[in-house]
Amino acid sequence: MDWEGRFLLFLQDNVRNPVLDKIMQFITSLGDAGLIAIGACMVLLCIRSYRRAGAAASLSLILDFAVVNLVLKNLFARVRPYEALEGLELITRRPSDFSFPSGHAGACFAVASAMFLCLPRKAGIPAVALAALISFSRLYVGVHYPTDVLGGMVIGCVTGWAAWMLVKRKQKT
């Protein structure tokens, strides 16, 4: 077993507990179907002074979805850890797609990184912290390997930066 499997089993055997299980199940559900990411984009787009941030976050989310869900998940077709690791128990509903990269981490970091770049730090830092918490929850509940989450985080940050640059460039013209 590699380090990723050992880490997930360590979380299961040494960190999981009934109270934290409920908390992490709730936190992971915030990222289901891009719920929190789409909601953040909609709120930003509805507030006049935050529309530029909303445009960057929305574009980032679209780019991230295309890269993660339409291309990379199907290209790598990585089996979920609860299917590959003997003894790892899933404590959330079964995802229907492949494991690498994490869509939850990608979507959350796509929006959070755009917010971090476009908004005051008092809004950007909590967005990044929530994205990190949702990403960690994917490991905790047993649906992703650490490199799945890391890959999603990197792709989300890159799409957030790219969207910010495009929106910034469009604003100058």
Side-chain angles (χ1 to χ4, degrees), residues 46-95:
C46 289
I47 301 170
R48 185 180 218 49
S49 60
Y50 294 150
R51 283 200 181 127
R52 186 177 80 134
S58 299
L59 179 57
S60 179
L61 187 58
I62 292 166
L63 292 171
D64 178 78
F65 177 80
V67 171
V68 169
N69 294 80
L70 301 180
V71 178
L72 294 179
K73 279 188 179 281
N74 295 309
L75 182 66
F76 286 97
R78 189 177 196 188
V79 174
R80 297 275 179 175
Y82 60 84
E83 295 174 344
L85 294 172
E86 187 174 326
L88 183 65
E89 296 176 25
L90 178 68
I91 60 168
T92 191
R93 64 179 181 78
R94 284 183 188 275

Side-chain angles (χ1 to χ4, degrees), residues 7-8 10-12 15-16 20 24 27-28 102 104-105 108-109 128-146 149-150 153:
F7 179 74
L8 293 175
F10 170 82
L11 284 178
Q12 175 179 277
V15 179
R16 281 186 186 173
L20 200 50
M24 287 297 177
I27 290 169
T28 210
S102 168
H104 281 63
C108 290
F109 271 93
V128 171
L130 180 59
L133 191 55
I134 291 171
S135 297
F136 175 76
S137 76
R138 304 305 284 166
L139 302 173
Y140 185 94
V141 300
V143 293
H144 281 296
Y145 293 100
V149 169
L150 183 60
M153 291 168 67

Side-chain angles (χ1 to χ4, degrees), residues 155-167:
I155 294 163
C157 288
V158 168
T159 62
W161 175 82
W164 172 66
M165 292 298 290
L166 290 169
V167 167

Side-chain angles (χ1 to χ4, degrees), residues 167-173:
V167 167
K168 199 165 85 167
R169 181 174 292 153
K170 175 73 173 150
Q171 185 180 12
K172 288 181 182 178
T173 60

